[in-house]
Amino acid sequence: MTTHRRTPTGTPAPTASVPPAARPGRAGFGLLGPRRDRHVLPVEQLAALSLPLGDDGVVVGVDAKRQPAVLGLFRPAQLDVVVIGSLWSAQVVALRTAGTGARVAVETARPQAWTGLAQAAGGGQQCMTVHDVKQVGPQGASVTSPVLIVRDCGMRPPRSRLAPGPWQSVLTLLPFLGPTAPRLVENAGLVGIQRVSPEESAVLGRILGLPRVQAEALPSLGDDMMLWCTSQHRKLVKMAPTDVETGLLGGPRRLD
């Protein structure tokens, strides 16, 4: 672009040429980008346009319709979870939680059962740590760095020393219904149940208000099945382990 200035005689005189790169951009918007053909879709094809959106959380398996079953573990307030089942089921949930980018801290009386998984889970990064019972310190959970604390402390887990906090979930694993189980189940926001005895199913059915059909089905669940319950919803889920999970943890099982 060439501009002109006036000489004393009134005739225009050429001035220096301003290169295109020196032209001012659009204030607040930056320089104009490259131009491409617009993506156009005929009106009659709009109905076929869809986006694969789903729930946000940890996929714990598939439901009866073969749709992903998703748990929203992390919230602005702490979520307490109780799993009545095997070490295998708790480790699958922990591994899948770490796969979402959350951190996992394991408080356990059997660290040898978790150390290998913790080393394999991060792919070189320490996303899962293992601690002795009562030795878990504050984890600094936040909305950008949520934390799942797994308490694998047997049938009589001691009270946790950690203060409740936002974006932090505590999963307590119980192999069977012990003396402290009714209190833990009653106070939990989410309960996962693998196969239990008829006596245990009667107790759980009463505490959780399960329909009779669901309670009576608990003693006959397969090793890879789990009933997830909240105060208002219940869903039977097939955990469907991947080849990687089976390689790390072995096949589904109820007893360790």
Side-chain angles (χ1 to χ4, degrees):
M1 173 177 146
T2 302
T3 59
H4 297 80
R5 60 182 176 83
R6 294 285 177 177
T7 65
T9 59
T11 59
T15 60
S17 203
V18 180
R23 297 175 187 175
R26 298 175 299 162
F29 294 95
L31 299 175
L32 293 174
R35 291 296 175 260
R36 300 278 192 273
D37 292 337
R38 294 187 177 184
H39 298 285
V40 178
L41 187 69
V43 174
E44 57 271 15
Q45 295 183 15
L46 285 176
L49 182 64
S50 62
L51 296 176
L53 298 178
D55 295 330
D56 181 21
V58 179
V59 178
V60 291
V62 294
D63 60 19
K65 297 180 180 179
R66 302 297 298 175
Q67 296 299 310
V70 181
L71 298 182
L73 291 180
F74 302 111
R75 309 172 183 182
Q78 178 169 300
L79 175 66
D80 291 314
V81 184
V82 171
V83 168
I84 302 165
S86 64
L87 173 68
W88 178 87
S89 62
Q91 289 184 327
V92 168
V93 174
L95 186 60
R96 294 179 182 181
T97 301
T100 67
R103 291 180 289 126
V104 179
V106 182
E107 178 185 0
T108 179
R110 43 182 173 178
Q112 71 283 355
W114 287 91
T115 302
L117 178 61
Q119 293 173 345
Q125 297 182 355
Q126 193 176 32
C127 64
M128 185 181 298
T129 55
V130 181
H131 310 263
D132 291 332
V133 177
K134 294 185 178 182
Q135 298 301 311
V136 181
Q139 297 297 305
S142 68
V143 64
T144 58
S145 183
V147 177
L148 172 67
I149 298 170
V150 179
R151 306 196 72 218
D152 174 29
C153 306
M155 293 182 61
R156 296 174 178 265
R159 290 187 179 272
S160 176
R161 293 184 175 182
L162 284 179
W167 309 110
Q168 173 178 282
S169 296
V170 178
L171 187 156
T172 301
L173 174 63
L174 300 175
F176 303 101
L177 286 186
T180 62
R183 174 182 58 83
L184 292 171
V185 171
E186 287 175 354
N187 295 331
L190 179 65
V191 179
I193 309 170
Q194 276 188 288
R195 184 174 63 250
V196 293
S197 68
E199 293 76 16
E200 290 172 310
S201 68
V203 174
L204 290 169
R206 183 173 63 254
I207 295 174
L208 297 171
L210 297 178
R212 181 177 178 182
V213 173
Q214 287 185 335
E216 292 179 347
L218 291 176
S220 60
L221 293 182
D223 287 350
D224 61 346
M225 302 297 294
M226 180 171 284
L227 180 66
W228 289 98
C229 309
T230 68
S231 58
Q232 299 179 340
H233 303 285
R234 290 101 186 168
K235 181 171 288 190
L236 186 62
V237 172
K238 183 180 180 68
M239 298 191 74
T242 65
D243 291 341
V244 173
E245 291 168 346
T246 301
L248 286 173
L249 306 174
R253 55 188 180 273
R254 173 60 180 92
L255 299 176
D256 298 315

